[in-house]
Amino acid sequence: MQIPQTTSPTHFIRQIISNDLSTNKNNSNVATRFPPEPNGYLHIGHAKSICLNFGTALENNGTCNLRFDDTNPEKESIEYMESIKRDVAWLGFEWTELRHASDYFEQLYQYAVELIQKGLAYVDSLSAEDIRLYRGTLTQAGKESPDRNRSITENLDLFARMRAGEFADGQYVLRAKIDMASPNMNMRDPAIYRIRSVHHQRTGDAWCIYPMYDYTHCISDAIENITHSLCTLEFADHRPLYDWVLEQLQTPCHPQQIEFARLQLEYTIVSKRKLNQLVTEKHVSGWDDPRMPTIAGLRRAGFTSQSIKDFCERIGITKQNSWIEMGVLEYCIREDLNVNAFRAMAVLEPLRVVITNYPKDKIENLEISNHPQREELGKRIVPFSKTILIENDDFSENPPAKYKRLSVGEEVRLRGSYVICCDEVIKNADGEIIELHCSYDENTLGKNPEGRKAKGVIHWVDEASSHAAEIRLYDRLFTVPQPDNEENFLDVVNPNSLQILNSCRVEASLKEATLEHRYQFERTGYFCLDSDSTSEKLVFNRTVTLRDSKE
Ligand code: ATP
Ligand code: MG
């Protein structure tokens, strides 16, 4: 797998902006916005857009607003708005101003009146079905509505009565009067207002007509004096409409829309509608399930905001849609946690080891220090006593050739501790192993005496001082790289994407684990504490394994 470099010094949007600055366009201001619709939680694709919009502002001493595109009250909620604010802030960005498309409802209405007065919009009584039929096809021009030539006076009257709530949902729409024969379907008299008698989370019942996205977006950008309106490629076909609306109206400015490729990440999905379906149909535990590609899910899985920003910088900004390998995101989190995670030991599937020649009540507080760069993250006290736990699969009764872990009659080093030798395997009546009896060599603490070299090093925890933990291991949420291309993406949900280990034991230092910190458990991966933890039982999520086993 090719990991892209961190420093992609420039991309085409940076070039456009630096060019605009050199010609003093927009008085050398740079103003961007991130405009999510609050109809779901933000995902990793949104992170790309956030990094681009806020990053562009930061790089140019400009401004970036967070604007909620809240024109579809049925699907939107305050919970989603709160989650979006939390996620943008967590990524480390500060919006210049918090705005809502609904802040502009009155202005948007007045601009629509202006369009009607200019003979550029009309109230249509065709049904939604007829509007669709009249629109024509890519190869066939559309047909004009019988209402297209309604008088300005009549249009003004009907539009005012639409606002006043005199009509039923769907009875009328307001349409821009552009060109029913345009090769661009978006220009065939698009609807700009529709009647929806629904309560809005911010404006309450003040409105029963709501503006459509294309109409709202360009005017909102203009009201906020946005200079560069950055959006994804699928809006390229909408740009003529964006420009048309602003050309007809007396708006404060005319922002430039620039499109870039959306992020598509393998083995996952970035569509709020489909992510919503995963949540409501309970394929995952919620929007913040660690398997979800949402920012909340990635955070809960242990991803850091730094790793996500690093990822967005590495994948770059282009005009070509492409699929990014999951390994790139995993690479970024490993790079971060390798340096910034606390070191600890945890045994995921414990096997008891009794050290027969170790004094019965003795406890040694061993000092372990195993972070090569940041001593403070690796230095700690780890108790050692007669009964310890090792990983079940670090012992083999019938070891293959060159086996480096523990087997009968062989020696192994316990990380940061002694060399032990397995003398005897203790089994129950069914022949299952219950514990190992080992002996230790007291001269081997932290060193190998002359002529002795234990073949391998394994991790362990002291039974008495260790803490019970549940450890959740995650795998990809989907079994195919491009679930979006399946007929039904739910058919390719990975049934084994979550494995819960219930009888894990973690070293004593982890009793102090916090939700903010990250941990590298010797040999098993990078982990973070989960908010489901209680004082009886710690719960850890595995963020990522130590190495990419799929490479
Ligand atoms: P979704 O398909 O997830 O619903 P959306 O475009 O409908 O996405 P919005 O809330 O409208 O969601 O998106 C806010 C901004 O984020 C838009 O400017 C959009 O272009 C951008 N965005 C959405 N998805 C991606 C993605 N996968 N990659 C990059 N930018 C994205
Ligand atoms: Mg959208």
Side-chain angles (χ1 to χ4, degrees):
M1 183 178 55
Q2 193 76 17
I3 302 293
Q5 296 293 305
T6 338
T7 44
S8 64
T10 194
H11 51 63
F12 78 99
I13 294 181
R14 284 184 176 143
Q15 277 163 6
I16 292 174
I17 290 180
S18 99
N19 202 42
D20 288 350
L21 290 173
S22 70
T23 59
N24 200 24
K25 191 174 167 191
N26 310 307
N27 296 320
S28 293
N29 282 333
V30 174
T32 58
R33 82 291 169 266
F34 172 63
E37 181 179 358
N39 62 348
Y41 279 55
L42 297 180
H43 52 61
I44 183 78
H46 293 116
K48 175 177 178 174
S49 177
I50 292 169
C51 289
L52 175 63
N53 278 293
F54 285 91
T56 298
L58 281 170
E59 284 164 25
N60 296 288
N61 240 325
T63 58
C64 181
N65 289 349
L66 172 60
R67 183 200 313 140
F68 289 112
D69 162 31
D70 57 346
T71 53
N72 247 323
E74 290 111 314
K75 292 188 178 151
E76 298 163 3
S77 75
I78 298 284
E79 180 205 340
Y80 292 143
M81 287 195 187
E82 292 306 316
S83 78
I84 290 170
K85 288 195 270 182
R86 191 161 58 234
D87 290 347
V88 173
W90 178 77
L91 281 174
F93 294 112
E94 274 177 60
W95 45 88
T96 311
E97 288 188 51
L98 180 67
R99 298 291 184 96
H100 306 79
S102 58
D103 298 337
Y104 312 133
F105 278 172
E106 185 60 38
Q107 277 158 291
L108 288 159
Y109 179 83
Q110 295 304 335
Y111 279 126
V113 169
E114 187 182 329
L115 283 180
I116 296 173
Q117 282 164 338
K118 290 180 165 162
L120 295 170
Y122 60 97
V123 174
D124 197 350
S125 60
L126 282 184
S127 66
E129 172 66 7
D130 279 340
I131 288 184
R132 209 174 46 75
L133 291 174
Y134 274 57
R135 239 177 130 212
T137 63
L138 284 173
T139 52
Q140 210 172 27
K143 209 166 79 181
E144 294 188 355
S145 162
D147 290 344
R148 198 171 196 264
N149 295 312
R150 214 190 271 284
S151 73
I152 291 175
T153 326
E154 201 183 341
N155 280 321
L156 287 172
D157 173 62
L158 282 172
F159 189 48
R161 290 165 61 197
M162 279 169 68
R163 177 181 184 165
E166 288 188 25
F167 308 120
D169 286 11
Q171 198 177 341
Y172 288 107
V173 288
L174 182 71
R175 298 176 72 177
K177 193 171 182 176
I178 311 179
D179 179 6
M180 287 307 291
S182 171
N184 184 339
M185 302 282 282
N186 296 306
M187 300 298 273
R188 295 187 186 171
D189 291 10
I192 59 176
Y193 263 93
R194 54 189 181 150
I195 305 174
R196 279 277 180 289
S197 306
V198 289
H199 187 84
H200 186 281
Q201 66 271 16
R202 296 190 70 246
T203 58
D205 297 313
W207 294 89
C208 61
I209 54 172
Y210 291 99
M212 303 297 285
Y213 175 82
D214 281 326
Y215 172 74
T216 309
H217 193 73
C218 53
I219 295 178
S220 305
D221 279 348
I223 291 174
E224 293 175 24
N225 277 303
I226 300 303
T227 56
H228 300 85
S229 178
L230 312 177
C231 64
T232 36
L233 285 182
E234 67 274 19
F235 290 103
D237 285 348
H238 299 240
R239 179 159 25 95
L241 178 54
Y242 184 103
D243 289 331
W244 182 89
V245 173
L246 295 184
E247 276 155 20
Q248 313 313 317
L249 295 169
Q250 297 295 319
T251 53
C253 69
H254 188 145
Q256 180 184 3
Q257 174 177 312
I258 305 170
E259 307 89 18
F260 64 95
R262 0 175 3 101
L263 167 64
Q264 305 178 101
L265 186 60
E266 284 187 349
Y267 292 97
T268 193
I269 264 180
V270 281
S271 145
K272 276 183 284 185
R273 185 179 61 76
K274 290 179 180 172
L275 293 175
N276 196 341
Q277 217 178 327
L278 289 172
V279 174
T280 50
E281 295 178 19
K282 304 215 181 318
H283 296 279
V284 293
S285 65
W287 284 98
D288 70 346
D289 185 301
R291 290 165 294 179
M292 290 281 272
T294 50
I295 295 177
L298 290 166
R299 176 169 60 232
R300 188 163 178 188
F303 281 77
T304 58
S305 52
Q306 191 47 50
S307 66
I308 294 174
K309 289 192 278 194
D310 180 30
F311 171 73
C312 292
E313 184 62 27
R314 281 176 196 272
I315 59 174
I317 302 291
T318 68
K319 278 214 177 258
Q320 275 79 48
N321 278 323
S322 66
W323 287 83
I324 304 292
E325 286 176 69
M326 190 57 106
V328 179
L329 181 59
E330 293 176 350
Y331 173 88
C332 294
I333 187 64
R334 286 192 188 103
E335 283 280 293
D336 182 351
L337 298 187
N338 179 38
V339 178
N340 297 313
F342 280 94
R343 301 312 197 240
M345 291 193 284
V347 172
L348 275 46
E349 290 174 283
L351 171 60
R352 178 182 287 121
V353 170
V354 178
I355 302 171
T356 48
N357 59 340
Y358 196 84
K360 188 163 164 281
D361 294 316
K362 184 171 174 182
I363 299 173
E364 275 180 276
N365 285 317
L366 305 180
E367 186 171 290
I368 295 189
S369 181
N370 63 339
H371 194 304
Q373 292 123 296
R374 298 184 59 191
E375 192 185 64
E376 72 279 16
L377 300 182
K379 197 168 176 175
R380 61 204 193 270
I381 299 295
V382 182
F384 182 82
S385 68
K386 192 177 176 71
T387 307
I388 62 163
L389 303 166
I390 65 168
E391 210 68 73
N392 196 42
D393 65 7
D394 277 343
F395 171 77
S396 173
E397 265 196 296
N398 305 298
K402 297 196 181 148
Y403 189 66
K404 287 227 170 63
R405 291 170 277 172
L406 191 61
S407 55
V408 180
E410 296 293 333
E411 289 189 338
V412 79
R413 171 170 293 284
L414 298 173
R415 165 65 74 202
S417 173
Y418 297 98
V419 170
I420 58 168
C421 176
C422 179
D423 305 315
E424 197 184 354
V425 181
I426 310 295
K427 297 183 178 176
N428 65 14
D430 297 330
E432 292 159 354
I433 301 177
I434 27 178
E435 62 188 36
L436 304 178
H437 285 182
C438 296
S439 47
Y440 85 119
D441 179 341
E442 65 177 338
N443 298 314
T444 56
L445 182 60
K447 62 179 194 304
N448 284 326
E450 205 66 22
R452 292 266 297 279
K453 189 147 177 38
K455 276 180 293 177
V457 183
I458 62 172
H459 61 275
W460 55 278
V461 298
D462 168 57
E463 185 176 58
S465 64
S466 65
H467 207 284
E470 172 181 313
I471 291 185
R472 300 174 182 169
L473 304 179
Y474 300 97
D475 200 351
R476 296 169 166 161
L477 190 49
F478 294 97
T479 55
V480 300
Q482 301 179 4
D484 242 338
N485 294 345
E486 297 293 312
E487 200 166 289
N488 182 355
F489 75 103
L490 295 173
D491 292 343
V492 291
V493 170
N494 178 4
N496 305 313
S497 57
L498 169 61
Q499 188 190 355
I500 299 180
L501 302 176
N502 271 309
S503 43
C504 316
R505 303 290 301 189
V506 298
E507 69 169 59
S509 75
L510 288 167
K511 285 176 192 168
E512 259 90 71
T514 70
L515 291 169
E516 287 70 44
H517 292 121
R518 302 290 182 275
Y519 304 89
Q520 183 195 91
F521 292 172
E522 180 106 19
R523 297 169 68 220
T524 55
Y526 293 103
F527 294 80
C528 69
L529 193 67
D530 189 84
S531 51
D532 285 348
S533 293
T534 62
S535 53
E536 279 77 55
K537 196 176 212 179
L538 299 171
V539 177
F540 287 94
N541 296 318
R542 182 159 71 188
T543 311
V544 68
T545 53
L546 294 181
R547 262 164 233 95
D548 188 353
S549 58
K550 298 192 165 82
E551 238 177 325

